[in-house]
Amino acid sequence: MNLLKNIFSVIGAIVVFGLLFAYVKFDLGTKANKAAKLDPKAMALYMAMAENVLNTGDSAKAMIRRVKVDKDIPIEDVIESLNAVAEENNLLVVANSLMSGGKKGGKYIRIISYCNPHIAKKFINHSMAFIAFMPCRMGIVEDDNGDIWIYTMDLGLMIAGGHTLPPKLLKMAKSVETAMYSMMDKAAKGEF
């Protein structure tokens, strides 16, 4: 019985030592304090992103939202719908680039960029790093099966991946997210 007690004591001491070592080596206390200051949704977003990367091995797939366009919707209608819904939501078309026209030229690829200058200025005044997220882009891409997809960045991490945004900025960010996702969903169905 004494032998078993000694074994468990040694195992307990090793576990405690290991935890203390990890705490000091990896500065877990400071990191935990910093993580506690993030937006309440941040850790769930990062965990979902990490899970996606682990499952696919593709970090880009973990940071996007995509919607498949209905088969009977012409690309011209997709573009017209995106632009019409953008205009309804005060987003301006700031760039429209046809990268490949499809058919013999390869898969269809187009990138359309949208922005609300008023919102952009507010975010850049908050943090200049937000410039990297601007303008909001929509990619229209043909896959190997000839299906058309609309891609954009998943805006969740921009909105809730750090400290909680001030209420006015959060409202603006959510309005852009709602507009972008609405644009995608409506364009994929050919709705205006």
Side-chain angles (χ1 to χ4, degrees):
M1 190 62 136
N2 262 348
L3 178 63
L4 193 56
K5 186 177 177 182
N6 289 338
I7 291 173
F8 283 133
S9 293
V10 170
I11 291 172
I14 291 171
V15 168
V16 169
F17 177 76
L19 289 173
L20 286 173
F21 176 78
Y23 188 82
V24 172
K25 174 76 174 163
F26 300 110
D27 199 16
L28 296 180
T30 303
K31 288 183 174 121
N33 287 336
K34 288 179 181 179
K37 294 177 184 176
L38 297 177
D39 188 285
K41 297 176 186 168
M43 294 313 288
L45 290 167
Y46 286 114
M47 294 305 293
M49 181 180 164
E51 182 71 22
N52 196 323
V53 171
L54 290 172
N55 288 336
T56 66
D58 187 337
S59 61
K61 285 183 180 176
M63 295 184 278
I64 58 95
R65 180 179 192 263
R66 71 180 190 153
V67 177
K68 186 176 181 180
V69 175
D70 288 352
K71 279 271 191 212
D72 58 336
I73 309 296
I75 289 176
E76 296 76 21
D77 288 356
V78 170
I79 295 166
E80 190 176 339
S81 175
L82 286 170
N83 293 341
V85 178
E87 187 176 331
E88 289 171 11
N89 288 280
N90 298 315
L91 294 173
L92 305 173
V93 175
V94 294
N96 185 340
S97 301
L98 179 63
M99 310 299 283
S100 174
K103 306 294 180 210
K104 292 181 182 179
K107 298 176 191 173
Y108 185 90
I109 303 169
R110 179 181 294 270
I111 301 169
I112 307 175
S113 299
Y114 300 90
C115 193
N116 177 315
H118 171 74
I119 292 175
K121 287 177 193 172
K122 296 284 186 187
F123 271 86
I124 292 169
N125 287 339
H126 177 72
S127 169
M128 290 190 305
F130 276 110
I131 192 70
F133 292 91
M134 297 175 196
C136 296
R137 286 171 298 283
M138 292 285 183
I140 304 167
V141 183
E142 181 181 9
D143 68 15
D144 291 336
N145 299 322
D147 294 321
I148 301 296
W149 294 83
I150 305 170
Y151 282 80
T152 198
M153 187 182 331
D154 181 335
L155 298 174
L157 286 174
M158 184 199 76
I159 294 170
H163 292 170
T164 301
L165 291 172
K168 287 182 181 178
L169 284 182
L170 181 60
K171 184 177 179 181
M172 288 181 208
K174 293 299 283 177
S175 74
V176 171
E177 179 185 52
T178 299
M180 294 293 290
Y181 293 175
S182 175
M183 290 164 60
M184 296 175 80
D185 296 338
K186 287 183 177 184
K189 303 285 182 205
E191 298 173 5
F192 294 87

